[in-house]
Amino acid sequence: MPELEPVAVLNPEFSSAGATAPSWSSVAEVLSTSEMFWLSTTRPDGRPHVAPLPAIWHDGSLHFCTGGKEQKAVNLAAEPRCVLSTGTNTMNAGLDVVLEGTVARITDPATLHELSALWKAKLDWDFAVVDGGFNDGRGNTAPVFAIAPEKVLAFGKGEPFSQTRYQFS
């Protein structure tokens, strides 16, 4: 699946004078090279839940897995809309990226095998593909999810600071 090229809209109200929107390729680079993300979900009673996890950017979506009984999976079963964010913990350097969307469960064996190979190459994690998910070799099976971007925000840090929204058609 080819990656969509979104329209970048710089928010001048929250950007330094003279700031420009980062290119989508620089945002996609952050998504591709980041290892850890923060997943924000909503519990069935409406309370927020945030947890760190690794994710893989592939074919225009972020992919992640989690144990089927973990709070993240329970939350996503009730409310599939979520946020994945990544970036740096510094004030004056880097690019923070926030991706909003709705998760879809990945069960296609060919796609799961492709993702398993990517997890191994990027993170040195070994996953076997079983029954529409990943098995870690210790008896734990995890569903695999993809989140295609519906809205992406990028925050450029350091002079010039910038806030950009990427709109997808």
Side-chain angles (χ1 to χ4, degrees):
M1 169 195 295
E3 194 169 318
L4 297 175
E5 184 73 30
V7 174
V9 179
L10 181 77
N11 185 335
E13 185 177 357
F14 300 111
S15 300
S16 299
T20 59
S23 67
W24 176 249
S25 63
S26 65
V27 173
E29 179 72 15
V30 169
L31 295 170
S32 294
T33 59
S34 294
E35 294 177 351
M36 293 301 293
F37 292 78
W38 291 93
L39 175 65
S40 301
T41 60
T42 305
R43 297 172 192 263
D45 66 5
R47 290 179 296 137
H49 179 264
V50 179
L53 52 65
I56 302 288
W57 179 251
H58 178 64
D59 281 345
S61 294
L62 271 172
H63 298 80
F64 63 93
C65 62
T66 185
K69 294 182 181 178
E70 290 188 45
Q71 188 66 53
K72 299 178 286 290
V74 171
N75 295 348
L76 292 170
E79 173 54 75
R81 293 175 296 178
C82 63
V83 174
L84 277 165
S85 56
T86 192
T88 63
N89 63 353
T90 60
M91 178 67 181
N92 290 308
L95 184 66
D96 293 339
V97 179
V98 177
L99 186 148
E100 297 179 14
T102 303
V103 297
R105 176 99 186 261
I106 303 298
T107 58
D108 171 62
T111 304
L112 289 170
H113 281 286
E114 191 174 354
L115 290 169
S116 175
L118 291 170
W119 248 273
K120 176 66 176 168
K122 183 173 182 179
L123 303 169
D124 199 27
W125 282 19
D126 287 311
F127 286 123
V129 174
V130 294
D131 297 327
F134 285 164
N135 183 286
D136 65 3
R138 297 178 298 157
N140 301 309
T141 300
V144 179
F145 299 96
I147 176 172
E150 295 169 10
K151 174 182 169 183
V152 172
L153 297 173
F155 300 89
K157 300 186 298 185
E159 282 301 326
F161 288 90
S162 64
Q163 179 179 318
T164 305
R165 176 186 176 139
Y166 297 86
Q167 299 174 333
F168 297 82
S169 24

